[in-house]
Protein backbone atom coordinates (compact mmCIF):
# COMPACT_ATOMS: atom_id res chain seq x y z
CA UNK A 1 0.00 0.00 0.00
CA UNK A 2 2.80 2.37 0.97
CA UNK A 3 4.44 1.98 -2.43
CA UNK A 4 1.10 2.31 -4.23
CA UNK A 5 0.26 5.87 -3.07
CA UNK A 6 3.27 7.56 -4.73
CA UNK A 7 2.61 5.56 -7.90
CA UNK A 8 -1.09 6.50 -7.90
CA UNK A 9 -0.17 10.13 -7.31
CA UNK A 10 2.18 10.02 -10.29
CA UNK A 11 -0.48 8.45 -12.52
CA UNK A 12 -3.03 11.07 -11.46
CA UNK A 13 -0.51 13.89 -11.98
CA UNK A 14 0.47 12.82 -15.49
CA UNK A 15 -3.11 12.01 -16.58
CA UNK A 16 -4.33 15.43 -15.38
CA UNK A 17 -1.41 17.14 -17.14
CA UNK A 18 -2.50 15.37 -20.32
CA UNK A 19 -6.09 16.59 -19.94
CA UNK A 20 -5.14 20.24 -19.25
CA UNK A 21 -2.12 20.72 -21.51
CA UNK A 22 -3.36 18.26 -24.15
CA UNK A 23 -6.66 20.14 -24.31
CA UNK A 24 -4.86 23.48 -24.73
CA UNK A 25 -2.48 22.13 -27.40
CA UNK A 26 -5.30 20.46 -29.34
CA UNK A 27 -7.29 23.67 -29.21
CA UNK A 28 -4.32 25.70 -30.48
CA UNK A 29 -2.99 23.38 -33.19
CA UNK A 30 -6.04 21.45 -34.39
CA UNK A 31 -8.93 23.83 -33.76
CA UNK A 32 -7.04 27.13 -34.10
CA UNK A 33 -8.83 28.23 -30.94
CA UNK A 34 -12.30 27.82 -32.51
CA UNK A 35 -14.17 25.37 -30.32
CA UNK A 36 -17.37 23.86 -31.74
CA UNK A 37 -20.53 24.99 -29.86
CA UNK A 38 -21.03 23.26 -26.51
CA UNK A 39 -17.39 22.16 -26.17
CA UNK A 40 -16.59 24.51 -23.27
CA UNK A 41 -19.61 23.33 -21.29
CA UNK A 42 -18.66 19.67 -21.75
CA UNK A 43 -14.94 20.19 -21.03
CA UNK A 44 -15.37 22.43 -17.96
CA UNK A 45 -15.99 19.63 -15.40
CA UNK A 46 -12.91 17.82 -16.72
CA UNK A 47 -10.81 20.99 -16.49
CA UNK A 48 -12.00 21.66 -12.92
CA UNK A 49 -11.45 18.04 -11.84
CA UNK A 50 -8.03 17.82 -13.48
CA UNK A 51 -7.06 21.22 -11.99
CA UNK A 52 -7.96 20.12 -8.45
CA UNK A 53 -6.34 16.68 -8.83
CA UNK A 54 -3.10 18.02 -10.34
CA UNK A 55 -2.75 20.49 -7.44
CA UNK A 56 -3.38 17.77 -4.83
CA UNK A 57 -1.09 15.18 -6.45
CA UNK A 58 1.61 17.81 -7.11
CA UNK A 59 1.53 18.94 -3.49
CA UNK A 60 1.79 15.32 -2.38
CA UNK A 61 4.72 14.72 -4.79
CA UNK A 62 6.41 17.84 -3.47
CA UNK A 63 6.00 16.86 0.19
CA UNK A 64 7.58 13.48 -0.57
CA UNK A 65 10.82 15.12 -1.71
CA UNK A 66 13.55 15.20 0.88
CA UNK A 67 17.10 16.53 0.56
CA UNK A 68 16.80 18.13 -2.88
CA UNK A 69 19.67 20.25 -4.27
CA UNK A 70 19.59 24.05 -4.10
CA UNK A 71 18.05 25.00 -7.49
CA UNK A 72 15.10 22.63 -6.92
CA UNK A 73 12.95 25.08 -4.96
CA UNK A 74 13.56 27.94 -7.35
CA UNK A 75 12.63 25.84 -10.41
CA UNK A 76 9.66 24.39 -8.51
CA UNK A 77 8.42 27.92 -7.67
CA UNK A 78 8.48 28.92 -11.35
CA UNK A 79 6.73 25.69 -12.33
CA UNK A 80 4.07 26.19 -9.65
CA UNK A 81 3.19 29.71 -10.87
CA UNK A 82 3.01 28.54 -14.49
CA UNK A 83 0.84 25.60 -13.39
CA UNK A 84 -1.61 27.97 -11.65
CA UNK A 85 -1.74 29.95 -14.90
CA UNK A 86 -2.56 26.84 -16.95
CA UNK A 87 -5.26 25.62 -14.51
CA UNK A 88 -6.96 29.03 -14.22
CA UNK A 89 -6.82 29.76 -17.93
CA UNK A 90 -8.15 26.37 -19.08
CA UNK A 91 -11.09 26.64 -16.64
CA UNK A 92 -11.83 30.26 -17.63
CA UNK A 93 -11.53 29.50 -21.36
CA UNK A 94 -14.44 27.05 -21.12
CA UNK A 95 -16.81 29.98 -20.63
CA UNK A 96 -15.01 32.65 -22.68
CA UNK A 97 -16.10 33.94 -26.10
CA UNK A 98 -14.20 32.46 -29.01
CA UNK A 99 -11.60 35.23 -29.61
CA UNK A 100 -10.67 35.30 -25.93
CA UNK A 101 -10.78 31.50 -25.77
CA UNK A 102 -8.21 31.28 -28.53
CA UNK A 103 -5.84 33.74 -26.79
CA UNK A 104 -6.21 32.12 -23.37
CA UNK A 105 -5.57 28.61 -24.65
CA UNK A 106 -2.55 29.59 -26.73
CA UNK A 107 -1.05 31.03 -23.51
CA UNK A 108 -1.89 27.82 -21.64
CA UNK A 109 -0.30 25.72 -24.40
CA UNK A 110 2.96 27.72 -24.17
CA UNK A 111 3.00 27.58 -20.33
CA UNK A 112 2.20 23.84 -20.42
CA UNK A 113 5.10 23.23 -22.78
CA UNK A 114 7.51 25.07 -20.46
CA UNK A 115 6.09 23.26 -17.38
CA UNK A 116 6.86 19.85 -18.90
CA UNK A 117 10.47 20.95 -19.57
CA UNK A 118 10.82 22.26 -15.99
CA UNK A 119 9.24 19.09 -14.55
CA UNK A 120 11.70 16.88 -16.41
CA UNK A 121 14.52 19.00 -14.98
CA UNK A 122 13.05 18.72 -11.44
CA UNK A 123 12.90 14.97 -11.86
CA UNK A 124 16.57 14.80 -12.86
CA UNK A 125 17.50 17.06 -9.90
CA UNK A 126 15.65 14.91 -7.38
CA UNK A 127 17.02 11.49 -8.34
C1 LIG B 1 -0.47 22.14 -15.67
C2 LIG B 1 0.11 21.81 -14.54
C3 LIG B 1 1.20 20.77 -14.40
C4 LIG B 1 1.84 19.99 -15.33
C5 LIG B 1 1.66 19.98 -16.84
C6 LIG B 1 2.78 19.15 -14.60
C7 LIG B 1 3.60 18.21 -15.20
C8 LIG B 1 4.45 17.37 -14.52
C9 LIG B 1 5.23 16.33 -15.11
C10 LIG B 1 5.23 15.96 -16.60
C11 LIG B 1 5.97 15.77 -14.11
C12 LIG B 1 7.00 14.65 -14.26
C13 LIG B 1 6.32 13.37 -13.85
C14 LIG B 1 7.28 12.27 -13.48
O1 LIG B 1 8.39 12.20 -14.03
O2 LIG B 1 6.91 11.49 -12.62
C15 LIG B 1 5.65 16.45 -12.89
C16 LIG B 1 6.23 16.19 -11.67
C17 LIG B 1 5.99 16.92 -10.53
N1 LIG B 1 5.06 17.91 -10.35
FE1 LIG B 1 3.86 18.64 -11.78
N2 LIG B 1 2.70 19.45 -13.26
C18 LIG B 1 1.75 20.43 -13.10
C19 LIG B 1 1.34 21.00 -11.90
C20 LIG B 1 1.95 20.81 -10.69
C21 LIG B 1 1.60 21.46 -9.45
C22 LIG B 1 0.45 22.47 -9.29
C23 LIG B 1 2.47 21.01 -8.50
C24 LIG B 1 2.57 21.36 -7.04
C25 LIG B 1 1.58 21.71 -6.29
C26 LIG B 1 3.37 20.06 -9.12
C27 LIG B 1 4.39 19.38 -8.50
C28 LIG B 1 5.17 18.40 -9.07
C29 LIG B 1 6.25 17.69 -8.37
C30 LIG B 1 6.71 17.94 -6.96
C31 LIG B 1 6.76 16.77 -9.29
C32 LIG B 1 7.91 15.80 -9.05
C33 LIG B 1 9.19 16.44 -9.57
C34 LIG B 1 10.38 15.56 -9.18
O3 LIG B 1 10.45 14.42 -9.67
O4 LIG B 1 11.20 16.03 -8.39
N3 LIG B 1 3.02 19.96 -10.46
N4 LIG B 1 4.71 17.42 -13.15
Amino acid sequence: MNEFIPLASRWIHILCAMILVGGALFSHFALRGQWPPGTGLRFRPWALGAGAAILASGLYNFLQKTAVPKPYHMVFGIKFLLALHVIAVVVLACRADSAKQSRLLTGAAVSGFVIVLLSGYLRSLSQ
Side-chain angles (χ1 to χ4, degrees), residues 10 13-14 16-18 20-21 51 54-63 65 68 72 76 79-84 86-87 111-113 115-127:
R10 200 168 193 189
H13 203 72
I14 295 173
C16 293
M18 285 166 60
L20 292 167
V21 181
I54 209 166
L55 272 170
S57 57
L59 207 63
Y60 174 82
N61 292 345
F62 183 66
L63 294 174
K65 302 286 166 188
V68 285
Y72 192 91
F76 176 78
K79 174 193 160 158
F80 186 71
L81 292 177
L82 287 173
L84 291 183
V86 169
I87 296 164
S111 291
F113 201 89
I115 291 174
V116 172
L117 299 182
L118 294 178
S119 303
Y121 181 51
L122 286 175
R123 177 109 197 102
S124 70
L125 281 178
S126 68
Q127 265 171 355

Side-chain angles (χ1 to χ4, degrees), residues 18 22 27 33 46 51 74 80 90 96 112-113:
M18 285 166 60
S27 168
W46 289 93
M74 184 191 67
F80 186 71
V90 174
F113 201 89

Side-chain angles (χ1 to χ4, degrees), residues 31 33 40 45 48 57 68 75 95 97 114 119 123:
L31 301 176
L48 280 168
S57 57
V68 285
V75 177
R95 282 197 176 157
D97 62 55
V114 176
S119 303
R123 177 109 197 102

